[in-house]
Amino acid sequence: MAAVPVLACVARYAAAPARPDGAAARDGGKHDGWAQDAYVWQRQWTPAVTRAIGDSAAGVRAWHVLAAELDRTGQWRDSRVADGPLPSPQRPVVAVFRMDGRLADVDADVLARHVATRVEAWTRQGWQVAGVEIDHDCATSRLADYGRFLDRLRQAMGGRHALWITALPTWMDAPVLPDVLSRADEVVLQVHAVQDPRLGLFNAARAMRWMAQFARLSPRPWHVALPAYGSRVIWGANGGIGAVESETPAMMGDTPDHDELVADPADVARFMTAAQDAPPRGFAGWVWFRLPTGDDRRAWSPGTWRAVMAHRPLTYAMQTRALRDAPGLYDIVVENTGDIDAAPPGTIRVDGACRGAGGRGGYGLEYDARGPWLHRRERMLLAPGVPLLAGWARCDGQGPDVHAGP
């Protein structure tokens, strides 16, 4: 077996922010004094979801659990959560109700009845339901109507639970926004996946500007939704978005015209550090989207998520090798030997007396005057300890030398 290690670069991303008042990290989902909640967005709970809740409970203050979705036709789709108590019964739950942004009208009394049904069922299971959250991508032009809807909903709920809402950066130019936000008890500002997918899933500089602007507008305590996931955007024939795959497949088969969007854990960790070092007025903490599980292929690995939450130093290290698979045939393998999900090398040069080569696993084959090389065609994150078959080469002698680059 020929094994040629060629890349083991280590860079540490320190993420140990300190609050201005010097508050120390505490249990119960608070690190350095800042609350950290998490969305449980899976529509059907598998054993992996239940296990992830139990494994991550120490770092989470409250779970924001998707209770039901109201689709564009006005039909409810309830999530199928596990029976019985949560694996972390000491953590409160915020029941989230997702409303399709294309809905023309929603009866607040009808919604309140559905909220009451779901909350009562969860309470009987022993869940500590502390709030109700409305996730509605309302058109900016209809924000005034949305504010009146929230008033009616609060009245229909009878003040039994705190009312949360999500807010979009696109709303911030609307003069009516502060009035709408005042109808809620808590607000979650979404700073990921809110613009054209061509601009990426998350941009730290843009998110920081949105936080500063939102701080001047919100009369309520507010949180920021952070991404711990990726998405696959499938483009339609007309150049528009055909579908988006994230926590559930779009069932469109192998479509060549797509882009993988990822939120880099190191970028998010640095963003958290900067925001917590100089927190904007009213900022109350983070809400992670979404809870990573062992079988969620587009979320961060659970270990990476918990490391970023706890502000632990993050180590990046990649190793690229040529491993003999058969006489004259070699697999080109990349392995993440660090402790953080990270992008594998952008290029892999294949040097040697090779008679053929090919790319796999998101890599494509290119040739130049020096010979074959592999080019990573997709954005991706590789979890620690997970080998990636990036390509193959058919070579004479001792096999190829492989050299990874950015």
Side-chain angles (χ1 to χ4, degrees), residues 195-201 206 233 235 238-241 259 261 379:
Q195 291 187 315
D196 190 323
R198 295 172 181 85
L199 297 177
L201 184 69
R206 210 163 40 227
V233 178
W235 301 104
N238 61 355
I241 297 175
D259 283 313
L261 307 182
R379 301 180 185 92

Side-chain angles (χ1 to χ4, degrees), residues 162-211:
L163 179 61
W164 293 61
I165 63 170
T166 56
L168 301 178
T170 52
W171 294 354
M172 287 195 282
D173 290 332
V176 73
L177 179 60
D179 180 64
V180 174
L181 299 178
S182 71
R183 315 297 176 93
D185 298 302
E186 304 270 357
V187 180
V188 181
L189 175 65
Q190 183 174 329
V191 297
H192 59 89
V194 296
Q195 291 187 315
D196 190 323
R198 295 172 181 85
L199 297 177
L201 184 69
F202 173 76
N203 180 279
R206 210 163 40 227
M208 196 69 75
R209 291 195 298 271
W210 286 334
M211 288 181 67

Side-chain angles (χ1 to χ4, degrees), residues 5-40:
V6 300
L7 182 66
C9 302
V10 177
R12 291 193 175 271
Y13 304 101
R19 288 195 63 176
D21 60 7
R26 297 186 292 274
D27 290 337
K30 291 188 177 183
H31 295 284
D32 300 290
W34 300 106
Q36 298 199 60
D37 296 359
Y39 285 102
V40 183

Side-chain angles (χ1 to χ4, degrees), residues 218-230:
S218 180
R220 292 286 186 260
W222 54 280
H223 308 248
V224 170
L226 287 176
Y229 72 101

Side-chain angles (χ1 to χ4, degrees), residues 299-351:
W300 295 354
S301 65
T304 289
W305 178 54
R306 290 193 286 267
V308 174
M309 289 177 70
H311 310 303
R312 294 200 295 268
L314 309 174
T315 303
Y316 170 88
M318 289 285 169
Q319 186 177 64
T320 305
R321 299 175 292 172
L323 303 178
R324 191 174 69 172
D325 181 56
L329 182 62
Y330 296 84
D331 290 334
I332 300 170
V333 177
V334 179
E335 184 173 359
N336 184 346
T337 56
D339 59 12
I340 178 178
D341 298 354
T347 61
I348 302 173
R349 171 70 60 179
V350 182
D351 292 330

